Amino acid sequence: MVTEEQLPYLLKLLDDEEPAIQSALQHEFAETNGDLSHEIAALAIDLPVRDRMKLSHLLLPGRRETLEHEWQVPHGGADALAEDWDTFESLLRLVSDFLHDGVTLRPSLPDMIDMLAMEAADEIENLSANQLRLWMFESGKFIGNRENYYIPQNNDLCWVADTGFGSPISLATLFILVAHRLELEVSGCNYPGHFLARIHIDGKALLVDCFHRGRLIPVHELLSNNKNISQTAKIAILTECHLGHMLSRILRNLEHSFRKDKQMGEALLFRKLHDSLQ
């Protein structure tokens, strides 16, 4: 285990190309939990970008082991997570921690959601699910990451909360989690190919396209104006997507992102995590 006393000396060796040195560093950093951000911040060490990237790579085995070791799915898999908000958020935190570089300091996922919820409560008058939609999405605070749609970071809710960019499901999930903190009713819609959120205004169900600035889609109009809609899409529109199935879709997205980037080790890891929900 790397100690705070050892860390400055190990970091000085990052630029040493000697194979024996690199092998020793790989061994030392693999023995950590994969995150040294607090230790680096405490030592006030400012690493160059190249060293941060190298260190993050050396810490990756530790992050992988931490994720696999702490990944505990309730008996019953995804269905058992239907209303288990605590476990759902805990598993999302593990995913975010793995996707983080382990070098730069940032708040945990629960803290980020807390901060967003407090900010929303302070700034929104007449708080409601629709007003939260306006504050998060129509304002442009959070938008779809069109230019880098397939990057794994789009599924890191901490990264999404920090940058304001995300995928359809990560933006919707953040919306749902913030709403839950504020005791507002927002749920998911597992629409094929494009995840949506669901709210009610004046008793009418509307879908929210978080990726496109939170545009509203009335459920009755979507069903009545689209005669060729598939049965799968119709079921998704009429049925609330519970938390376990949201997590399953996020894990599938991550497997696809890593496969697309030819990072097969990570792709297989997220396939394994997805299968644990079955």
Side-chain angles (χ1 to χ4, degrees):
M1 186 71 181
V2 175
T3 66
E4 195 168 298
E5 291 74 23
Q6 293 174 310
L7 185 57
Y9 302 102
L10 293 173
L11 294 178
K12 288 180 180 179
L13 296 173
L14 288 173
D15 286 332
D16 194 321
E17 299 298 336
E18 174 64 35
I21 296 294
Q22 289 301 311
S23 178
L25 289 175
Q26 188 173 11
H27 173 76
E28 290 290 342
F29 287 122
E31 293 297 312
T32 71
N33 67 356
D35 189 333
L36 293 175
S37 57
H38 288 85
E39 289 83 353
I40 292 171
L43 292 168
I45 298 173
D46 186 17
L47 288 173
V49 173
R50 184 171 178 272
D51 285 352
R52 287 204 302 269
M53 293 176 62
K54 181 178 286 189
L55 178 57
S56 180
H57 180 72
L58 290 169
L59 291 169
L60 182 58
R63 291 200 299 280
R64 181 184 290 110
E65 184 176 344
T66 299
L67 173 58
E68 292 187 273
H69 178 71
E70 296 187 9
W71 188 265
Q72 300 291 328
V73 176
H75 180 70
D79 290 338
L81 286 170
E83 296 295 330
D84 190 345
W85 289 89
D86 289 341
T87 302
F88 176 64
E89 191 173 308
S90 176
L91 294 174
L92 286 174
R93 177 187 61 78
L94 289 174
V95 171
S96 286
D97 288 349
F98 173 82
L99 295 172
H100 184 43
D101 62 12
V103 178
T104 54
L105 192 63
R106 73 178 186 183
S108 68
L109 178 59
D111 287 345
M112 281 199 162
I113 297 169
D114 286 344
M115 288 187 289
L116 270 176
M118 288 188 288
E119 186 181 353
D122 287 342
E123 296 184 6
I124 299 174
E125 294 183 14
N126 303 316
L127 188 62
S128 67
N130 189 45
Q131 289 298 318
L132 181 62
R133 175 192 69 85
L134 293 169
W135 183 80
M136 289 184 68
F137 304 113
E138 196 164 303
S139 67
K141 187 179 185 71
F142 292 96
I143 59 176
N145 193 357
R146 300 186 189 204
E147 292 187 9
N148 296 291
Y149 188 85
Y150 292 104
I151 60 172
Q153 286 82 0
N154 278 334
N155 297 281
D156 173 356
L157 291 190
C158 285
W159 186 87
V160 174
D162 185 45
T163 65
F165 293 106
S167 66
I169 191 168
S170 64
L171 292 169
T173 302
L174 192 61
F175 182 32
I176 290 166
L177 288 170
V178 173
H180 183 69
R181 288 284 201 283
L182 298 170
E183 300 182 349
L184 301 174
E185 184 181 348
V186 180
S187 60
C189 171
N190 201 17
Y191 196 82
H194 195 84
F195 198 88
L196 302 165
R198 184 195 319 273
I199 64 174
H200 289 81
I201 301 177
D202 297 329
K204 295 181 179 179
L206 297 103
L207 301 179
V208 180
D209 186 350
C210 302
F211 192 79
H212 294 100
R213 286 183 169 270
R215 69 185 177 101
L216 291 174
I217 308 168
V219 167
H220 71 280
E221 289 184 14
L222 184 59
L223 292 173
S224 60
N225 295 339
N226 195 344
K227 303 300 183 183
N228 296 322
I229 194 167
S230 70
Q231 187 65 20
T232 300
K234 186 178 293 186
I235 291 172
I237 292 167
L238 295 173
T239 308
E240 179 179 326
C241 179
H242 70 59
L243 303 179
H245 291 164
M246 288 169 59
L247 179 60
S248 178
R249 186 156 172 173
I250 289 171
L251 296 175
R252 287 202 310 271
N253 284 354
L254 278 164
E255 181 193 358
H256 178 72
S257 292
F258 282 119
R259 283 189 185 277
K260 189 174 180 65
D261 200 35
K262 295 182 171 55
Q263 298 184 57
M264 297 310 298
E266 284 72 20
L268 291 173
L269 169 62
F270 281 99
R271 163 53 64 178
K272 176 182 176 182
L273 298 183
H274 173 267
D275 290 347
S276 74
L277 295 177
Q278 303 310 304

